[in-house]
Each structure stands twice: as structure tokens, then as C-alpha cells.
Amino acid sequence: MNENPTSPRRRAALRRAKALPAWSLVAAGALAGATLGGGYGAVRTPTYTATSYVVAVPTAKSDPASALGFAQAYGRVATQLAVLGDAQVWAGVPVATLQNSVHAATSPDAPMVAVTATSARPDLAADMANAVSRALTRHASDVQGSTHVELQQFARATEPTAPSSASAGLTALVGASAGGLLGGLLLLVRPRRRRPEPARAASVPGPAVAAEAHGQL
């Protein structure tokens, strides 16, 4: 049998909830958020990030402006199937893994391409970044006669020593902030208790009014 929403037990619980101090909602939300966020950070698999760099160098028949333009172009094709198909051989992972784990970035001021890979294994993250950089350099070498720009290895990716994903402490802090904010919003929409209005004093007719009423009788 379902409990009646207007039962005395439910009304008593509502009265106790309304009697709590205003800051209790914020504190409860922050505590719940910190618990959930810390638990998520503790059970989540850490991820590692490694980055390798290649630089576009103009040949005698080119200039720095052309090298900068081709660096932007190579950054866009670094994660294309033609490059990743060669990189999978050196990385030892399928192309689908490279597509999901590797991305490239370029700078508008320098003819450089940064190839970044993420993985649950620090050694695999470095291997994937270096493999894609190697494949990209090879493809640039194949068309160097027409582009007059050479792509060279600038810095190899090294095996990361610490995960790049957020720690349990950080996720707990984020959860506490979100929970406290939610508690504050609930505090704003919570019905406020009405203050009892003071009882009005009974009006007593003055002497003139009482005399007039006596004369009419």
C-alpha cells in the first residue's frame, strides 16, 4: 500500500526539511558532488599523452612563406587515411585506433606540425605519435620535388611519466563545485516559510458613535 502524500509522517519530514538552515542544501550538494567526482576519478582508466613535432623547411627553390603554408596543409592531412595507413605498420595498431587517438595541430606563426596521441599505455602513446610523424615526413618527401618544401623531424615523442587525465582530487573538486552550485539553485527555488501575520486588534466604537447608536434604538 502506497503511503499517502499527506500522511503525518510525510508532513513531519517536510517540516524538518524546512527547518534546516539555508546553507545545508549547498553543503549537502557539495558533499555529494565531491563523493561522486572523486569516485569517478578513482575508477576511471588514466590516459597518457605524447606529442612529436615535425617542421617544414624550404629548399633553395622556395621561401619561408611557402614552408608555412605547406605546414598548414600537412597538418590537415596528418590524420588522413593515406598517412595513417603507413603509420599503423610502425605503431602496431589498427588504423581505427590511430583515427580515434591521434590529432594534429599547427601554428599560424611557425611552420611546425604537432602530432599528439593519447592512450591508456604511455609507451603506446609515444609510439603512435612517432609513427604518424614518420609517415607524414615520408609522404612529404615523396612530393618534395613539386612542393620544394622538406618536412623534417624536429622532436620525437617521449614516453610520458604521468597521466594527462584529471586526478581523483581534481574530479572531486569539480564535483564539489557542481554539487554546491546545484544546491544553491535549489535553495533559490525552495518555497520560503511565510511569517504569521500579527493579529489585528478589535476596533471599539468611539463615544459619539455609541451615543448615536443608542439614540436610534
Side-chain angles (χ1 to χ4, degrees):
M1 182 176 180
N2 295 332
E3 185 180 356
N4 187 356
T6 59
S7 63
R9 181 181 300 177
R10 186 176 180 83
R11 289 196 298 267
L14 290 176
R15 285 195 299 267
R16 288 194 298 268
K18 292 181 179 180
L20 292 175
W23 54 265
S24 61
L25 285 176
V26 180
L31 179 60
T35 302
L36 294 176
Y40 171 75
V43 302
R44 186 183 59 175
T45 303
T47 57
Y48 296 85
T49 302
T51 304
S52 64
Y53 298 90
V54 293
V55 60
V57 180
T59 63
K61 297 181 180 181
S62 184
D63 53 66
S66 298
L68 181 59
F70 277 106
Q72 302 291 328
Y74 287 136
R76 289 191 290 269
V77 303
T79 54
Q80 298 299 315
L81 187 59
V83 177
L84 298 183
D86 292 341
Q88 69 172 339
V89 179
W90 298 310
V93 296
V95 173
T97 302
L98 293 175
Q99 289 176 329
N100 296 329
S101 305
V102 178
H103 69 273
T106 58
S107 171
D109 303 322
M112 187 174 294
V113 182
V115 179
T116 302
T118 58
S119 174
R121 292 169 43 193
D123 59 333
L124 184 56
D127 290 343
M128 289 190 296
N130 289 325
V132 174
S133 296
R134 180 179 177 183
L136 183 62
T137 304
R138 178 179 175 180
H139 277 265
S141 178
D142 293 339
V143 295
Q144 181 179 341
S146 58
T147 62
H148 305 293
V149 172
E150 182 183 3
L151 202 62
Q152 299 179 355
Q153 183 82 42
F154 182 78
R156 289 180 55 84
T158 58
E159 184 175 331
T161 58
S164 57
S165 55
S167 62
L170 181 59
T171 55
L173 181 60
V174 174
S177 301
L181 178 60
L182 181 60
L185 294 177
L186 292 177
L187 180 62
L188 293 177
V189 301
R190 188 183 65 170
R192 296 182 179 180
R193 291 177 295 179
R194 296 182 177 179
R195 296 182 179 179
E197 297 182 358
R200 296 181 178 180
S203 59
V204 180
V209 177
E212 293 178 357
H214 180 73
Q216 293 177 357
L217 295 178

